[in-house]
Amino acid sequence: MKLQDNDLGAIGGELIGAALKQNKTLKHLKISENELKSEGAEHILKAGGALESLDLGKNYISAKSGPAIKAYVENNPYLKKLNLEFNELMAKGIEPLTKVLFEIFSK
């Protein structure tokens, strides 16, 4: 599903997150350029689901979402692609994710 560049904001992220909790068939979600910010992105990340690819690029996601990103990667065995480009994660935001990646890569 492609929903990029629709100015959904945090409320849209919350609505999509609620829908994803019921998801059993959707495999790809492109939701870049929607100004989700951390609040909206975290609703989507916490929903979990069986997505193989998730595009959250250009959504003003900040470092505070690092733990939610880490949990999403840890708890989604189907995930093959996660796009977080052009956000505001900084080193502090990706630090939790790098710990998970080291664990995955060392298997």
Side-chain angles (χ1 to χ4, degrees), residues 4-85:
Q4 69 268 26
D5 201 11
N6 277 293
D7 296 323
L8 298 176
I11 293 171
E14 183 176 357
L15 295 170
I16 291 170
L20 285 175
K21 288 180 181 178
Q22 307 301 317
N23 176 43
K24 294 187 182 1
T25 57
L26 185 67
K27 301 293 181 200
H28 308 281
L29 178 59
K30 186 171 185 173
I31 193 163
S32 59
E33 300 182 68
N34 272 293
E35 298 188 32
L36 296 173
K37 301 195 165 72
S38 288
E39 182 184 354
E42 287 183 31
H43 284 289
I44 293 168
L45 292 164
K46 290 177 181 175
L51 292 176
E52 292 179 10
S53 67
L54 176 59
D55 185 344
L56 290 170
K58 297 183 184 178
N59 272 301
Y60 304 98
I61 302 169
S62 71
K64 78 174 205 158
S65 294
I69 296 167
K70 174 186 181 266
Y72 183 77
V73 171
E74 280 180 320
N75 297 314
N76 184 348
Y78 307 103
L79 186 65
K80 295 178 182 171
K81 182 179 178 184
L82 176 61
N83 181 10
L84 296 168
E85 67 185 352

